[in-house]
């Protein structure tokens, strides 16, 4: 299984428009972050987790020409605003794109992208989707791969993380239920968010992320959904435990 980090930035990306912070002005490519998303591939199958506003740019950057499904963690714009850009994949395959998310998330997409879900008098250039409503802790399968949706608390908003075999992807975490901790045992790789050093009401800061990592105890952990306030990539990496790494755009993991 291969994991592509398409983007590792927070909702505004890095650099942020109009911000002259030294991290935003950095020339190090690891300090330039598109909105958070990953692509997972196995045996010719390609699955996207979250489809944010940088989706088109991200897929062009890795020269991807095949997408089999989109999984959503939650409905916020930095995770969903690129939905319209699935059109080329729908047209190339002449079929609807399977999308997976909680009912609340699907309902939000229907309001914001009503033309995508229209069944009568459809605009011929619109993408089409095949809806799969999913719930925490109820496994589902795509092309023979069992996927475990896990409950994650984004402040007071219940959202989803996902486990594939011994790999788990959690973003926008603030707290985790004990049941989710149990579902995250025996991981080779955990991906989890850390927004900044300072506390935040709905996201992990770095200290909270490291506490989650210590409790889950994966062999390796990668941090994503990073804001410029966390600091320079190279400096932060030096401060982390030996099995914890800052993810960066275009990082590829072979699992």
């Amino acid at each position: 299984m291969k994991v592509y980090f398409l983007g590792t930035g927070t909702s505004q990306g890095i650099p942020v428009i109009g911000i002259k912070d030294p991290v935003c002005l950095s020339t190090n490519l690891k300090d330039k972050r598109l909105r958070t998303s990953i692509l997972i591939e196995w045996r010719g199958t390609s699955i996207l987790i979250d489809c944010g506003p940088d989706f088109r740019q991200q897929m062009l950057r890795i020269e991807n020409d095949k997408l089999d499904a989109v999984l959503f963690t939650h409905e916020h714009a930095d995770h969903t605003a690129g939905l319209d850009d699935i059109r080329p994949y729908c047209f190339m395959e002449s079929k609807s794109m399977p999308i997976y998310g909680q009912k609340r998330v699907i309902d939000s997409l229907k309001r914001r992208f009503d033309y995508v879900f229209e069944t009568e008098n459809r605009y011929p250039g619109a993408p089409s989707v095949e809806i799969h409503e999913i719930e925490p802790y109820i496994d589902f399968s795509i092309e023979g791969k069992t996927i475990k949706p896990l409950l994650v608390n984004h402040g007071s908003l219940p959202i989803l993380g996902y486990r594939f075999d011994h790999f788990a992807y959690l973003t926008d975490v603030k707290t985790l239920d004990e049941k989710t901790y149990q579902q995250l045992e025996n991981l080779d790789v955990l991906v989890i968010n850390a927004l900044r050093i300072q506390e935040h009401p709905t996201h992990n800061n770095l200290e909270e992320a490291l506490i989650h990592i210590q409790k889950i105890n994966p062999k390796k952990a990668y941090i994503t959904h990073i804001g410029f306030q966390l600091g320079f990539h190279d400096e932060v990496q030096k401060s982390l435990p030996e099995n914890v790494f800052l993810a960066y755009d275009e990082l590829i993991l072979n699992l």
Side-chain angles (χ1 to χ4, degrees), residues 5 8 23 28 30-31 33 190 192 194 197 206 210 213 219-224 226 230-249 251 253:
F5 286 84
T8 56
V23 176
N28 184 349
K30 291 181 180 179
D31 288 322
R33 302 180 185 277
L190 169 70
I192 194 167
I197 302 298
L206 182 57
L210 292 175
I213 291 167
K219 292 179 181 177
K220 291 183 179 180
Y222 290 83
I223 290 172
T224 192
I226 295 165
L230 188 64
F232 292 104
H233 180 280
D234 291 348
E235 291 183 4
V236 176
Q237 182 60 61
K238 293 175 184 177
S239 72
L240 298 177
E242 63 179 9
N243 68 327
V244 179
F245 306 90
L246 284 191
Y248 53 88
D249 290 20
L251 171 65
L253 303 181

Side-chain angles (χ1 to χ4, degrees), residues 2 15 22 31 34 49 53 56 58 70 91 100 116 134-135 184 216 219-220 225:
K2 185 175 289 189
D31 288 322
L34 300 178
I49 300 184
R56 174 181 174 274
Q58 290 165 339
V70 180
F91 300 158
Y100 294 75
V116 172
I134 56 176
E135 298 179 15
L184 291 169
I216 295 167
K219 292 179 181 177
K220 291 183 179 180
H225 208 286

Side-chain angles (χ1 to χ4, degrees), residues 168-181:
Y169 181 78
L170 311 179
T171 187
D172 292 49
V173 172
K174 183 64 175 180
T175 61
L176 300 175
D177 292 355
E178 194 59 38
K179 185 172 182 178
T180 296
Y181 279 123

Side-chain angles (χ1 to χ4, degrees), residues 148-164:
K148 296 178 177 292
L150 307 174
L151 180 65
V152 171
N153 300 308
H154 182 17
S156 61
L157 185 69
I159 70 172
L160 295 180
Y162 294 98
R163 177 169 181 161
F164 298 70

Side-chain angles (χ1 to χ4, degrees), residues 5-253:
F5 286 84
L6 302 177
T8 56
T10 186
S11 58
Q12 298 182 85
I14 305 176
V16 178
I17 295 171
I19 299 297
K20 305 303 181 184
D21 184 271
V23 176
C24 290
L25 300 176
S26 172
T27 58
N28 184 349
L29 292 179
K30 291 181 180 179
D31 288 322
K32 299 184 184 300
R33 302 180 185 277
L34 300 178
R35 266 61 73 92
T36 294
S37 177
I38 62 169
L39 185 77
I40 300 176
E41 293 185 348
W42 71 88
R43 297 192 300 274
T45 298
S46 297
I47 303 299
L48 181 74
I49 300 184
D50 287 334
C51 187
D54 300 318
F55 168 68
R56 174 181 174 274
Q57 179 182 353
Q58 290 165 339
M59 299 305 258
L60 286 171
R61 185 163 67 175
I62 67 168
E63 299 182 350
N64 177 276
D65 59 6
K66 184 177 187 294
L67 185 62
D68 295 291
V70 180
L71 280 54
F72 289 104
T73 58
H74 63 296
E75 64 267 42
H76 290 167
D78 54 321
H79 298 262
T80 60
L83 181 61
D84 184 80
D85 284 321
I86 64 171
R87 283 186 291 166
Y89 297 103
C90 295
F91 300 158
M92 284 188 290
E93 298 290 333
S94 298
K95 64 180 184 181
S96 299
M97 178 66 67
I99 64 171
Y100 294 75
Q102 296 181 92
K103 183 180 186 303
R104 185 195 72 239
V105 176
I106 299 298
D107 288 345
S108 174
L109 293 173
K110 287 179 178 178
R111 291 191 298 271
R112 293 161 55 205
F113 297 93
D114 55 340
Y115 61 95
V116 172
F117 296 86
E118 182 64 61
T119 57
E120 298 180 5
N121 301 316
R122 284 180 53 81
Y123 175 64
S128 59
V129 296
E130 175 187 298
I131 299 169
H132 298 265
E133 292 184 1
I134 56 176
E135 298 179 15
Y137 310 124
I138 299 179
D139 296 356
F140 61 97
S141 179
I142 298 177
E143 296 297 327
K145 179 76 70 178
T146 298
I147 302 169
K148 296 178 177 292
L150 307 174
L151 180 65
V152 171
N153 300 308
H154 182 17
S156 61
L157 185 69
I159 70 172
L160 295 180
Y162 294 98
R163 177 169 181 161
F164 298 70
D165 300 332
H166 296 288
F167 169 82
Y169 181 78
L170 311 179
T171 187
D172 292 49
V173 172
K174 183 64 175 180
T175 61
L176 300 175
D177 292 355
E178 194 59 38
K179 185 172 182 178
T180 296
Y181 279 123
Q182 294 171 2
Q183 295 283 320
L184 291 169
E185 294 177 351
N186 301 314
L187 287 180
D188 290 336
V189 174
L190 169 70
V191 179
I192 194 167
N193 59 297
L195 186 67
R196 60 193 192 191
I197 302 298
Q198 306 89 342
E199 287 194 18
H200 188 277
T202 63
H203 290 268
N204 286 335
N205 65 5
L206 182 57
E207 180 182 10
E208 291 165 333
L210 292 175
I211 290 171
H212 288 308
I213 291 167
Q214 185 177 37
K215 184 167 183 176
I216 295 167
N217 193 31
K219 292 179 181 177
K220 291 183 179 180
Y222 290 83
I223 290 172
T224 192
H225 208 286
I226 295 165
F228 72 88
Q229 302 96 330
L230 188 64
F232 292 104
H233 180 280
D234 291 348
E235 291 183 4
V236 176
Q237 182 60 61
K238 293 175 184 177
S239 72
L240 298 177
E242 63 179 9
N243 68 327
V244 179
F245 306 90
L246 284 191
Y248 53 88
D249 290 20
E250 297 189 84
L251 171 65
I252 300 173
L253 303 181

